[in-house]
Amino acid sequence: MNFASLEFGVFFLVVLVIRLFYRQSGSRVFVSILVLLSLVFYGWEEPSYVFLILLSTVIDFFAALAIEKYRSSPRTRRAIVTISCVANLGLLGFFKYTGFFVQNLSTVLPLEPGIATALRGIVLPIGISFYTFQSMSYTIDVYRGEKPTRSFLDFIFYISFFPQLVAGPIVRAHNFLYQIHRVRSIRLVVWLEGFRLMILGFFLKLVVADNIGYALSGINLQSVGIWDYAVQPDGPSTLAWYAIILFPAQIFCDFAGYTNIARGLAYLLGFRLPINFNAPYLAGSFSEFWHRWHITLSTWLRDYLYIPLGGNRISKGRTLVNVMAVMLLGGLWHGAGWTFIVWGAIHGTGLVVERAAGIARVTERWLAARLGWFLVVQAVVLFAWIFFRSSRFAEAGVLITNAARLDFPHIEIADYPNLQAALIVIWAVPLLHLRALLREAGGRPFRETRIEQAIVSGFLLIATLSFYGEGGEFIYFQF
Amino acid sequence: MTVLATARWYDRTHPLLRLERTEYQAGLPDPSADTYLDSRGTSLAYNAFTHDWNHVVDAARKADVLFLGNSRAVYGFRPQYFQPWLDRIGLRGFNMAFFGGTGQLPLWLIRHYDLHPKMVVINDDRFLLLGKTEWEQALDKESTWGAFKDYYGSAAAWLVQKRLHRIVPPLRAYTGRRRLVVYRSIGTGAPIFVFGESEGKPMTRLPSAQADQAVKAWIDQALARGRRTSAEFLREMDRRGILVVLTVIQDNGDFAGYYMSRRLNERNGRIYVHAMLPNLMGQAGSHMDAESSKRLMEDLMPKILALPRVQALAGKQQETRP
């Protein structure tokens, strides 16, 4: 189910009534009802996908218990955690990467056309990348010494909790399981914060991301947008630059919007989810970018991939190779396509250069260097998004060529669907980042009082109800 | 602009703030038992007919004459103007044209619901030559449950938005392009325009007798590509004994569709009725307004009724009547 849909509005009212009925969250009945609702939420698009999430949940629940049982036998423990990882990655690999693998294989090996078409047509179950990572991290944590839960209800609730189920944040078991039976009465201050986050999230998604999305990609299957014009050979640079500026704003607002709605919903239900975004376009280095963008994924990759590969304790050369490998896999996690791998490679190269050249030492000392590197980092981030958004290298190549030509003929904004609206709403992105900048710098004006927060939220709510775009799916649903 | 738009919304009569009315303020009631929501930027009629939501196929089952085609046929073949002509020979018509429509969905519907009209009148603007549209392809991939949610979710969203914007002004409607909102009559297929009725700009172009060389070359390629879809459609009509009458509704833009249709008719010997009039009016020169549709029907329908095979149909109809 999509947060930005009418059916979610009805679903949300049901959830809210249940929460008001069970004022003291934490009871088994309350948790059971939320599990049931979460499975309805997940199965709404395709009921059969519920079996997949149940399969992943059952595997890791029993794998964790088995690891605990054989705690004294390292070989058995290792075998069990391996089985769990293979099962989870197998599920993910089959649904997400089979088509990609077959497509690439068919370029070198002739395949039966019927089989190749069938394999390429495997549909990616929504949210599978998120919940398999979450489920797998639990088993690995237990393998590393954490205590497993003995309640299947708690574990399935942790995996299926609907606010974060389909697009994160990726929650760790030790940050969530303890919250389940903690009695949380309804507190006005928490609810206000929950509603504030939800309103901000809906504003980012419906007003900013969807209006930009309409301008970039068109409204339906038969319409086109700025992106389609920008990737036409010999298209004007003006449109290419609009596309280059608009997409980063769209994807940030789309994903950060989702996370804010998820966190707000969790607050209303008495739970806390981690933050996932912190003004990423303020990042002064590649390393900082990944501390600000999709934070729960980057920490997951750090804890379950980078550190097991040796972390910072190995030689500098090996470390750099590992950084690159992690970023390539991070790119591949986003989508089964070479353009995503290149996106990861660009970020990986940035991180490698930054480490190898010791840029942090220079930028710490010199303000001009800091500003210069900030501009380089942000320019590379924008450049990398071109590959992320493009379906083929040729598309990215044409867009880059058009942008590099630097011819800017006058274009009539009104001739392009919704471009006018997109150019209005995009200002929300620099404003949000300015607010974050002032807050980080300890500036007084953006430390809002409750009254100020209420006024801003009221404004955002009215803006959302008045200026919403066409409620498309969240971009990260496809990952 | 925001202030002006808001002020305009709350005080719609003030002469200084005269902005276009939005689709939410059109004053039309909700779709009722006799109508359904056909289009809100994206066409829902594909979904409705494929799954027979709201029993939209019933009237097509009972119809003697189906009017088929793309959006120009939705605007051009208006039942209030063709039905009086059909009444003269005792036939019942139904407009089963779709926005962006080709022959693919009608062919599927005729087979799937086993429709037996006596005649189809087709706006053959590449109608027979094109493959499946994106909407048709999307429907193929969608489950019944998905189609149900899509259709009824969109219809419910429209009702909610209409009510919401009685309280909150729809400011976004004042930036950029507006979306077409069309209801259709379940009984006749007549379009009811909430937003998107033609604004009456002249449809100035009439086709010349011969296409130029470049268009001819392009048509040769298109005919070669579309031969299979065309033959399949016509074969099914023949198998069912359905009389096919082709025409091409005037368009202000690319007339390649007209020349292609003529070439196709020369090749397959189907009945073609030419009905193009000067000084028709339509939105951006296409999608004719109601008055032009009336003129078109007054020109086209007598020509169709005068066809010997149609006269024979009318005779049969009268014979079978009690």
Side-chain angles (χ1 to χ4, degrees):
Chain A
M1 197 180 291
N2 185 347
F3 286 159
S5 67
L6 192 64
E7 56 256 36
F8 178 74
V10 176
F11 181 87
F12 174 62
L13 287 177
V14 171
V15 169
L16 217 55
V17 168
I18 289 168
R19 173 68 173 122
L20 285 168
F21 188 75
Y22 286 97
R23 291 189 173 186
Q24 304 280 321
S25 71
S27 75
R28 295 191 76 78
V29 181
F30 179 67
V31 172
S32 304
I33 292 171
L34 282 186
V35 168
L36 198 66
L37 286 171
S38 295
L39 294 178
V40 169
F41 177 90
Y42 186 66
W44 191 254
E45 296 305 323
E46 175 52 59
S48 61
Y49 291 165
V50 170
F51 292 106
L52 278 179
I53 196 169
L54 289 176
L55 179 65
S56 186
T57 307
V58 167
I59 288 170
D60 283 300
F61 177 72
F62 288 106
L65 290 180
I67 289 169
E68 178 69 5
K69 187 177 177 185
Y70 296 104
R71 182 70 71 193
S72 54
S73 165
R75 283 184 62 184
T76 314
R77 280 193 303 137
R78 198 173 303 127
I80 296 168
V81 79
T82 306
I83 290 168
S84 156
C85 288
V86 167
N88 279 297
L89 293 175
L91 271 180
L92 187 60
F94 176 76
F95 285 103
K96 192 163 182 173
Y97 301 108
T98 305
F100 177 63
F101 180 70
V102 168
Q103 194 175 355
N104 285 286
L105 192 67
S106 61
T107 58
V108 288
L109 274 178
L111 290 173
E112 177 69 32
I115 295 172
T117 309
L119 290 174
R120 273 202 295 266
I122 292 170
V123 179
L124 179 69
I126 200 164
I128 191 168
S129 308
F130 289 91
Y131 70 72
T132 48
F133 267 39
Q134 197 160 305
S135 190
M136 213 160 60
S137 71
Y138 166 74
T139 318
I140 298 170
D141 285 345
V142 172
Y143 171 75
R144 287 175 177 173
E146 289 194 14
K147 284 273 175 206
T149 176
R150 298 200 170 269
S151 161
F152 185 72
L153 180 68
D154 288 2
F155 185 63
I156 194 171
F157 182 55
Y158 155 65
I159 298 296
S160 67
F161 184 46
F162 74 88
Q164 48 80 49
L165 175 57
V166 290
I170 301 170
V171 184
R172 306 289 181 81
H174 58 79
N175 288 331
F176 191 82
L177 285 172
Y178 79 93
Q179 298 184 44
I180 295 177
H181 295 293
R182 192 178 51 168
V183 175
R184 305 277 287 178
S185 52
I186 292 173
R187 289 170 58 211
L188 183 64
V189 64
V190 177
W191 269 49
L192 287 177
E193 181 61 7
F195 279 120
R196 191 187 71 79
L197 282 169
M198 285 185 71
I199 289 169
L200 176 61
F202 276 116
F203 174 79
L204 289 176
K205 166 63 182 163
L206 290 173
V207 177
V208 187
D210 282 355
N211 272 305
I212 293 176
Y214 180 4
L216 264 181
S217 312
I219 185 178
N220 61 39
L221 290 166
Q222 291 196 327
S223 61
V224 294
I226 288 288
W227 188 274
D228 304 285
Y229 295 114
V231 298
Q232 295 295 321
D234 300 322
S237 299
T238 322
L239 294 181
W241 281 102
Y242 273 137
I244 289 171
I245 301 296
L246 286 173
F247 180 66
Q250 185 201 1
I251 193 163
F252 166 67
C253 292
D254 194 279
F255 200 7
Y258 182 94
T259 307
N260 277 316
I261 298 168
R263 293 184 63 224
L265 274 168
Y267 268 125
L268 296 182
L269 294 171
F271 299 92
R272 184 187 285 267
L273 296 179
I275 65 161
N276 219 10
F277 291 90
N278 180 20
Y281 298 130
L282 288 181
S285 67
F286 289 100
S287 160
E288 191 185 350
F289 181 82
W290 285 100
H291 283 98
R292 289 173 177 274
W293 178 273
H294 205 172
I295 298 164
T296 55
L297 175 69
S298 51
T299 50
W300 196 100
L301 290 172
R302 182 197 65 200
D303 294 347
Y304 299 103
L305 198 58
Y306 179 69
I307 291 176
L309 284 171
N312 296 334
R313 292 160 297 160
I314 49 178
S315 72
K316 195 171 180 181
R318 278 277 307 282
T319 304
L320 297 180
V321 169
N322 289 345
V323 166
M324 192 54 142
V326 170
M327 293 314 295
L328 288 176
L329 287 171
L332 194 60
W333 178 88
H334 280 85
W338 287 104
T339 50
F340 290 108
I341 296 173
V342 167
W343 176 75
I346 294 169
H347 278 276
T349 308
L351 285 165
V352 165
V353 168
E354 210 165 68
R355 283 194 180 205
I359 285 172
R361 284 196 301 276
V362 183
T363 52
E364 271 170 21
R365 213 177 285 170
W366 306 98
L367 178 64
R370 198 150 61 235
L371 279 173
W373 190 241
F374 164 78
L375 292 174
V376 169
V377 168
Q378 291 303 329
V380 172
V381 167
L382 287 190
F383 177 74
W385 284 130
I386 295 173
F387 290 90
F388 192 95
R389 173 64 175 76
S390 299
S391 51
R392 290 170 294 114
F393 286 129
E395 191 177 309
V398 172
L399 181 69
I400 292 164
T401 311
N402 288 344
R405 205 180 312 111
L406 297 178
D407 63 328
F408 296 100
H410 174 72
I411 66 156
E412 202 61 59
I413 287 175
D415 288 346
Y416 296 92
N418 219 47
L419 182 56
Q420 196 180 7
L423 294 177
I424 295 170
V425 298
I426 197 175
W427 285 98
V429 178
L431 281 175
L432 265 179
H433 282 72
L434 179 66
R435 175 176 173 271
L437 184 69
L438 291 172
R439 185 169 262 184
E440 285 175 20
R444 167 71 189 84
F446 285 82
R447 289 193 179 280
E448 303 101 339
T449 62
R450 293 260 159 75
I451 300 287
E452 287 164 345
Q453 281 186 356
I455 291 169
V456 171
S457 295
F459 171 78
L460 293 181
L461 180 62
I462 291 170
T464 305
L465 294 175
S466 183
F467 214 78
Y468 56 88
E470 309 305 323
E473 283 207 335
F474 288 87
I475 294 173
Y476 265 68
F477 275 21
Q478 62 193 289
F479 306 141
Chain B
M1 195 207 71
T2 304
V3 172
L4 281 177
T6 311
R8 167 72 185 104
W9 190 81
Y10 283 114
D11 179 11
R12 293 170 205 163
T13 56
H14 197 289
L16 290 176
L17 302 170
R18 186 154 291 162
L19 292 173
E20 196 180 1
R21 289 164 74 89
T22 70
E23 55 269 40
Y24 307 106
Q25 297 150 1
L28 274 177
D30 296 335
S32 63
D34 304 325
T35 55
Y36 70 99
L37 181 63
D38 169 306
S39 180
R40 288 197 62 207
T42 184
S43 179
L44 299 171
Y46 287 77
N47 193 325
F49 271 85
T50 303
H51 296 279
D52 197 15
W53 309 131
N54 291 334
H55 304 290
V56 290
V57 182
D58 280 0
R61 274 200 191 95
K62 293 173 189 157
D64 303 301
V65 184
L66 291 178
F67 288 80
L68 306 176
N70 54 13
S71 58
R72 284 188 277 281
V74 174
Y75 283 79
F77 296 144
R78 300 199 194 199
Q80 63 266 40
Y81 303 127
F82 67 62
Q83 191 55 51
W85 292 95
L86 291 177
D87 284 342
R88 295 181 184 192
I89 54 169
L91 298 179
R92 182 191 294 196
F94 181 78
N95 182 333
M96 203 170 76
F98 295 96
F99 286 92
T102 72
Q104 298 288 315
L105 181 62
L107 179 62
W108 185 86
L109 292 172
I110 285 167
R111 283 173 171 164
H112 183 74
Y113 295 110
D114 195 23
L115 304 182
H116 284 279
K118 296 180 171 59
M119 171 167 71
V120 288
V121 178
I122 297 173
N123 173 32
D124 186 24
D125 181 0
R126 284 168 278 185
F127 180 84
L128 295 176
L129 299 172
L130 296 174
K132 285 193 173 182
T133 64
E134 289 92 334
W135 283 324
E136 286 163 345
Q137 288 169 22
L139 262 176
D140 283 350
K141 291 178 195 160
E142 202 168 35
S143 63
T144 306
W145 169 237
F148 175 84
K149 282 185 299 166
D150 259 11
Y151 179 77
Y152 286 103
S154 299
W158 164 245
L159 300 185
V160 170
Q161 283 170 305
K162 272 186 75 181
R163 280 152 186 76
L164 169 70
H165 292 310
R166 285 179 195 158
I167 307 163
V168 185
L171 293 184
R172 197 183 146 277
Y174 294 110
T175 63
R177 287 181 194 169
R178 306 275 301 283
R179 294 204 307 172
L180 189 71
V181 183
V182 184
Y183 300 165
R184 295 285 283 273
S185 159
I186 292 172
T188 65
I192 300 151
F193 296 99
V194 180
F195 178 76
E197 173 60 291
S198 292
E199 290 158 3
K201 293 175 183 168
M203 299 170 74
T204 51
R205 283 181 54 184
L206 285 173
S208 53
Q210 289 293 323
D212 62 36
Q213 285 305 317
V215 172
K216 275 183 181 168
W218 185 74
I219 288 171
D220 284 339
Q221 286 178 4
L223 282 174
R225 276 201 307 272
R227 190 171 293 147
R228 192 184 60 79
T229 58
S230 158
E232 189 185 0
F233 187 95
L234 294 171
R235 201 165 41 241
E236 184 65 29
M237 297 305 109
D238 292 344
R239 200 177 70 76
R240 289 170 177 267
I242 300 171
L243 174 64
V244 177
V245 174
L246 302 171
T247 185
V248 174
I249 290 182
Q250 193 173 336
D251 179 18
N252 194 32
D254 176 9
F255 262 90
Y258 164 71
Y259 298 114
M260 277 164 74
S261 180
R262 295 302 302 266
R263 279 278 296 283
L264 185 65
N265 299 330
E266 285 162 17
R267 187 177 294 176
N268 63 30
R270 298 287 159 165
I271 298 169
Y272 173 81
V273 180
H274 187 78
M276 289 197 183
L277 301 167
N279 305 321
L280 292 181
M281 307 287 273
Q283 186 177 319
S286 182
H287 291 181
M288 66 181 63
D289 64 12
E291 184 55 33
S292 298
S293 165
K294 188 179 176 193
R295 285 185 55 211
L296 177 76
M297 290 298 104
E298 283 170 354
D299 186 57
L300 177 73
M301 292 308 294
K303 290 175 184 168
I304 292 178
L305 296 193
L307 294 167
R309 289 187 63 187
V310 176
Q311 301 246 315
L313 274 185
K316 263 193 219 166
Q317 180 74 8
Q318 276 156 9
E319 280 163 25
T320 55
R321 280 183 164 188

